[in-house]
Amino acid sequence: AGTWFFWHETRPDDAFWILLSVLVATCPCALSLATPTALTCATSRMGNYGILLRKSHVFETLCKVNHLIVDKTGTLTHGDIVISKVETYSTFSKEQSLSIAAALESHANHPIARAFKVYTDQNVTVSDVENIIGSGIQGDYQGKQTKIGSAPFVLGEAKSAEPNSIYLSVDGVHIATFKYQDPIRKEANSFIERFQKEGIKVTLLTGDSQMNADSVASEIGIDKVVANAKPQDKLGYLKNADSADVTMMIGDGINDAPTLAGAHLSVAMGGGADVAKASADMVLLGDHLERILDARQLALQTRRIIRENLAWSLGYNLLILPLAVAGLVAPYFAVVGMSASSIIVVSNSLRLLKEQGK
């Protein structure tokens, strides 16, 4: 309006085309494309990485993460657990112990529970089953209370706990110990090392025993370990974290769901429980941890591209507007400049579709 009134008083014949140039020059096409085009391209790349985005803040928060919290079983380890040894301590045979354990574990979805599935016996059933998240499972077998789980839960004491072991009792009598194997993911060491090199704190937060947690932590280089954590303990740890921490939680189980929901950014393993995936901001479909590193680098690159787009579009408008107001830009030139500015922004965003390093 100011441009129109000035040139209408000064050079009435030129007022219209100068006003038209100003309107075209100030059209915010490039500015409005700066962020959406970059996010669209980055989201497409995330899909190529096998990462499903469920929340809109993922890219922004990935750039700010300074505290990584990881679960153990099914996250740092494969979660493809196999029972390697069975020790019996009563009149129950090895086969009976395994079938009772399988009947109880059929009511859980933990990776350890899945290891017992092959020992299922249709003739062995349990009733009144209760899943004590973070501890184990209890139920009624032939009128007797039966428990399977950690040493404190089953035996009532922690001192007799052994690494990578699950315990079974009937009527308070310890009848079997199941030893299992759960190999660590081959990429776990480099995954943790990369985060540590970037100055990001790493904590292993698990419901497993201190002994099992320390064994895995020492092998992959994690100093901070919180073990024997029930779901409420995990969430409590998250709430009591330093206020300056921007946390990223990676987990896969039902007991991780509250923590995943409470973290600033959460990642669920694709092979994990449905409730964990429903609580997470991202789902790692292929269970390849290194893809999270790729996602973080992509987020940093996306932020840089957005800043470049905004700088270009704002800079162009700041440059062209005074020239247009001064009557130095013809309408057709303003059209060309506006279109070129939009093309530059879109082309810059399309760089995100390229493989990094190429």
Side-chain angles (χ1 to χ4, degrees):
T3 300
W4 164 259
F5 283 116
F6 173 81
W7 288 107
H8 184 71
E9 295 295 326
T10 307
R11 283 163 37 194
D13 293 342
D14 296 328
F16 176 75
W17 72 261
I18 293 176
L19 171 63
L20 184 60
S21 295
V22 171
L23 289 173
V24 173
T26 55
C27 182
C29 290
L31 190 62
S32 62
L33 289 170
T35 300
T37 54
L39 290 177
T40 300
C41 292
T43 301
S44 176
R45 279 294 300 283
M46 283 287 198
N48 294 339
Y49 288 155
I51 296 177
L52 174 65
L53 303 185
R54 301 189 65 255
K55 301 290 175 64
S56 59
H57 66 88
V58 168
F59 288 105
E60 180 181 2
T61 311
L62 260 177
C63 299
K64 301 176 181 178
V65 167
N66 57 19
H67 188 179
L68 173 65
I69 302 171
V70 290
D71 179 42
K72 182 181 76 68
T73 306
T75 303
L76 292 177
T77 65
H78 281 282
D80 296 328
I81 296 174
V82 293
I83 306 301
S84 58
K85 186 177 181 182
V86 181
E87 297 175 352
T88 57
Y89 304 97
S90 72
T91 57
F92 288 88
S93 67
K94 173 182 174 180
E95 290 72 20
Q96 285 177 309
S97 299
L98 283 168
S99 60
I100 294 170
L104 286 168
E105 293 287 6
S106 66
H107 296 271
N109 193 35
H110 192 273
I112 294 177
R114 295 195 290 270
F116 286 94
K117 188 175 181 179
V118 295
Y119 303 107
T120 300
D121 184 343
Q122 300 299 329
N123 296 318
V124 177
T125 59
V126 292
S127 58
D128 299 325
V129 177
E130 183 180 2
N131 194 337
I132 313 299
I133 301 297
S135 296
I137 304 172
Q138 65 183 20
D140 185 89
Y141 170 69
Q142 295 184 350
K144 300 176 181 179
Q145 186 185 56
T146 307
K147 291 184 177 182
I148 187 170
S150 64
F153 176 66
V154 176
L155 307 179
E157 54 185 18
K159 64 181 181 180
S160 58
E162 299 177 26
N164 295 337
S165 295
I166 297 295
Y167 302 87
L168 177 67
S169 70
V170 175
D171 248 7
V173 178
H174 180 202
I175 68 166
T177 297
F178 308 102
K179 295 189 177 181
Y180 61 87
Q181 294 178 341
D182 186 16
I184 296 174
R185 296 181 188 274
K186 63 180 181 180
E187 71 271 21
N189 291 68
S190 58
F191 173 74
I192 296 299
E193 185 181 357
R194 283 273 301 277
F195 273 99
Q196 291 172 334
K197 281 184 177 179
E198 294 184 19
I200 296 174
K201 296 187 293 184
V202 180
T203 299
L204 176 58
L205 181 62
T206 177
D208 209 341
S209 69
Q210 191 72 50
M211 188 182 302
N212 291 347
D214 287 340
S215 174
V216 172
S218 62
E219 188 168 343
I220 62 179
I222 298 178
D223 297 324
K224 177 68 174 177
V225 178
V226 179
N228 295 309
K230 292 180 171 58
Q232 61 269 28
D233 298 327
K234 291 185 176 185
L235 186 58
Y237 174 81
L238 201 64
K239 289 181 177 179
N240 294 327
D242 193 311
S243 59
D245 286 357
V246 178
T247 55
M248 178 166 70
M249 172 70 187
I250 308 176
D252 76 312
I254 295 174
N255 57 337
D256 296 319
T259 320
L260 289 170
H264 292 97
L265 180 66
S266 54
V267 184
M269 305 298 282
D274 290 341
V275 67
K277 288 182 276 190
S279 303
D281 302 320
M282 302 163 54
V283 179
L284 193 60
L285 299 177
D287 286 356
H288 300 299
L289 290 174
E290 70 273 8
R291 289 307 189 184
I292 299 176
L293 294 167
D294 294 335
R296 177 172 163 79
Q297 292 305 312
L298 178 60
L300 293 170
Q301 186 185 6
T302 302
R303 183 175 65 178
R304 185 172 65 252
I305 292 291
I306 289 174
R307 288 175 175 175
E308 291 172 357
N309 288 348
L310 291 173
W312 167 258
S313 55
L314 288 171
Y316 168 75
N317 277 9
L318 289 174
L319 174 65
I320 198 70
L321 181 58
L323 297 177
V325 170
L328 301 176
V329 177
Y332 69 86
F333 186 83
V335 170
V336 172
M338 178 195 68
S339 301
S341 181
S342 298
I343 290 172
I344 289 172
V345 164
V346 172
S347 299
N348 193 41
S349 297
L350 289 174
R351 292 166 52 205
L352 291 167
L353 295 176
K354 284 187 175 182
E355 291 293 331
Q356 294 180 14
K358 293 185 179 180

